[in-house]
Amino acid sequence: FALLFPLGTSVKAFTLSVHPSPRSALSSLQAGVSVWYSSSTGNTEAVAGYISKAAGDLDFNDIGDATKKEIEGSDALIVGAPTWHTGADEQRSGTSWDEWLYETLPNLNMKGKKVAVFGVGDQQSYGDNFCDAAGELFDLFKAQGCIMYGMTSTEGYEHTASKALVNDEKFCGLMCDEDNQYDLSEDRAKAWIVQLKDEGFF
């Protein structure tokens, strides 16, 4: 198209500058990233919401509704679960994850995909099994060839034992306690997203 300038007006006065909008930058951050969870009481869904908001309003959905195309088509996945079957070696979440991890995940092409795990547990009532299901997600996605991101410090937690530990000082991802430390969850999610950005997850 052509720009018409009034007589006597310099072209310089009409120079247009194009800068990426915050929304455009946000869309670039979100591209290829999906959030998947499953929840029994709503606590894991709440934490998924905090994570989504911190990352710029990512979509988050129940893993039971996921299609093969949605999972394999994502460059990066944020996945989270509660723990209900305490002490179990497998199927620890008591949610859609229990079937999906063992019947669907093994049949997907996941090699090289970025994955970050979050878990929700209760340190006081189930301190011996705090966020065990998060450890199950971590182990099984890693076994499928995924690259795991987002390990966090155990500092500030009061659990006794957890299968979500990768060593004495680190969890396999973000752990939240909506029963006893609900006031910390949103800030923990914000800090975790910053960490994931620094790690090159996004």
Side-chain angles (χ1 to χ4, degrees), residues 12-158:
K12 184 177 180 180
F14 281 81
T15 300
L16 299 177
S17 297
V18 179
H19 299 284
S21 67
R23 191 68 191 173
S24 297
L26 189 60
S27 298
S28 297
L29 173 67
Q30 295 175 351
V33 181
S34 57
V35 181
W36 301 94
Y37 73 95
S38 199
S39 189
S40 294
T41 64
N43 285 345
T44 308
E45 182 176 9
V47 173
Y50 298 146
I51 292 168
S52 166
K53 182 179 178 182
D57 294 323
L58 291 171
D59 287 337
F60 57 101
N61 297 283
D62 193 296
I63 191 62
D65 299 326
T67 66
K68 178 179 180 179
K69 183 177 180 180
E70 286 174 322
I71 300 300
E72 291 188 337
S74 296
D75 296 322
L77 304 167
I78 298 175
V79 297
T83 297
W84 281 95
H85 298 154
T86 54
D89 290 328
E90 60 183 41
Q91 299 187 336
R92 301 170 191 163
S93 77
T95 71
S96 300
W97 280 115
D98 293 350
E99 179 179 342
W100 192 91
L101 287 171
Y102 294 93
E103 295 188 12
T104 302
L105 179 61
N107 299 312
L108 299 178
N109 180 12
M110 302 294 286
K111 188 170 183 179
K113 199 173 297 295
K114 300 176 181 179
V115 173
V117 173
F118 69 96
V120 180
D122 181 342
Q123 296 169 87
Q124 292 187 11
S125 299
Y126 302 99
D128 291 336
N129 304 101
F130 181 59
C131 292
D132 280 359
E136 185 177 18
L137 265 63
F138 181 91
D139 291 342
L140 293 176
F141 275 97
K142 185 177 181 180
Q144 284 296 109
C146 298
I147 303 170
M148 310 307 292
Y149 288 76
M151 273 63 95
T152 62
S153 172
T154 58
E155 186 176 349
Y157 296 85
E158 299 175 356

Side-chain angles (χ1 to χ4, degrees), residues 78 116 149-151 191-202:
I78 298 175
Y149 288 76
M151 273 63 95
W192 193 52
I193 291 299
V194 171
Q195 176 186 333
L196 289 175
K197 290 177 186 175
D198 291 343
E199 291 180 4
F201 179 82
F202 290 100

